[in-house]
Amino acid sequence: MTQSHARISKAVIPAAGLGTRFLPATKATPKEMLPVVDKPAIQYVVEEAVSAGLDDVLMITGRNKRPLEDHFDRNYELESALEKKGDAERLAKVQESSDLATLHYVRQGDPRGLGHAVLCAAPHVGREPFAVLLGDDLIDPRDPLLKRMIDIQEQHGGSVIALMEVAPEQVHLYGCAAVEATAEGDVVKVTGLVEKPDPADAPSNYAIIGRYVLDPHVFDILRKTEPGRGGEIQLTDALQQLAQDEKVGGPVHGVVFKGRRYDTGDRGDYLRAIVRLACEREDLGPEFRAWLRRYVAEEMQQS
């Protein structure tokens, strides 16, 4: 029988990474502020949290991340200039980011991995379940993954992670889950987790993608978690303990996602994400798709 649990209202977005794969662009600009068409990647993530009903957002930042705060703050000079021009459309776009949610910020200080970044949220979150959204994964708003995860957490308690089936040769790029089927087709029971295993040692091809709904007991475990792979405190290691002992923080479930996901953490995937999203835009798509067809046709003729 399912149980009723406290409604989740808080989202945590780790954003302290250095973005070294995008150097030199990220030398002075946070990777989260790189544009995906005409919005920074981080805004898509905040919009996703808000769409799922989470209007209290904490960003875990670091040095050189001040532009994140500026983007979600008011810019009165710009707004005044647009208002004087009568440019209501652009004024609305500028104001949209500052009106999205109540945002808070805390610095990670010492970048010691995702687990440590999540632990930095403990004073703000308290003893409530909460969501974690990684900025490298953009989930299409037509596929409400986070809302589904919240629903599962409210039914079963514990923690819920987002899973995606990947090719066996890609397993080493992700955290990987051992799972058992449940009565719901898109939900599995997680019995174990391994961070970036060798393909031969992987328990399955279910990879963790960047969405989590976590029981606050994860903080207690993270405080005791030793650095793991890469010398960092791994959130996967803490979740492994939760999966092994349901008495501490409840069970761990996984929602298997088969929708539209845009990976902006890799340069090639970042470019593909921009093309896909631009093609689907009503204001840009028709002209852009026509150009893209011509470009591909010309390249095929030359090859």
Side-chain angles (χ1 to χ4, degrees), residues 157-168:
S159 299
V160 181
I161 62 177
L163 299 174
M164 179 184 68
E165 289 189 82
V166 300

Side-chain angles (χ1 to χ4, degrees), residues 10-166:
K10 294 178 180 177
V12 175
I13 303 177
L18 298 176
T20 52
R21 285 180 289 182
F22 283 84
L23 286 171
T26 50
K27 178 181 178 181
T29 301
K31 68 172 183 176
E32 296 84 4
M33 289 300 298
L34 294 179
V36 180
V37 188
D38 54 4
K39 282 193 299 190
I42 193 69
Q43 184 169 333
Y44 289 88
V45 180
V46 174
E47 289 173 349
E48 180 187 350
V50 172
S51 294
L54 312 182
D55 56 2
D56 184 328
V57 178
L58 174 69
M59 286 193 193
I60 312 299
T61 68
R63 289 184 293 274
N64 301 324
K65 298 287 184 169
R66 181 61 186 269
L68 294 173
E69 299 183 38
D70 291 340
H71 178 72
F72 291 101
D73 198 0
R74 299 292 298 273
N75 186 327
Y76 293 102
E77 294 83 0
L78 177 57
E79 291 178 26
S80 177
L82 292 171
E83 192 171 7
K84 288 178 180 178
K85 288 182 178 180
D87 195 338
E89 182 180 352
R90 288 189 174 86
L91 177 60
K93 290 181 178 179
V94 167
Q95 292 176 331
E96 180 183 15
S97 60
S98 58
D99 295 334
L100 274 173
T102 301
L103 279 100
H104 312 268
Y105 304 89
V106 63
R107 284 197 174 193
Q108 186 175 3
D110 185 11
R112 296 167 58 195
L114 177 58
H116 181 257
V118 170
L119 185 56
C120 290
H124 180 80
V125 169
R127 302 307 295 180
E128 304 174 24
F130 63 104
V132 175
L133 298 85
L134 305 190
D136 288 347
D137 283 324
L138 305 187
I139 304 298
D140 194 292
R142 293 168 293 183
D143 301 310
L145 169 63
L146 186 58
K147 178 65 169 60
R148 175 63 171 155
M149 295 173 66
I150 291 172
D151 289 345
I152 295 301
Q153 197 281 335
E154 289 178 345
Q155 291 176 33
H156 301 286
S159 299
V160 181
I161 62 177
L163 299 174
M164 179 184 68
E165 289 189 82
V166 300

Side-chain angles (χ1 to χ4, degrees), residues 219-239:
F219 295 133
D220 303 328
I221 296 174
L222 284 170
R223 291 186 182 98
K224 302 174 184 178
T225 300
E226 295 294 328
R229 191 177 181 92
E232 298 181 334
I233 297 175
Q234 298 290 348
L235 179 59
T236 304
D237 293 341
L239 287 169

Side-chain angles (χ1 to χ4, degrees), residues 13 15 26 67 71 85 95 101 111 126 133 139 151 169-171 173 202 213 252 261 263-264 266 281 287 290:
I13 303 177
T26 50
H71 178 72
K85 288 182 178 180
Q95 292 176 331
L133 298 85
I139 304 298
D151 289 345
E169 60 271 18
Q170 293 183 315
V171 165
L173 301 172
V213 177
V252 178
R261 168 180 173 260
D263 184 355
T264 61
D266 171 83
R281 287 269 295 263
E287 183 178 346

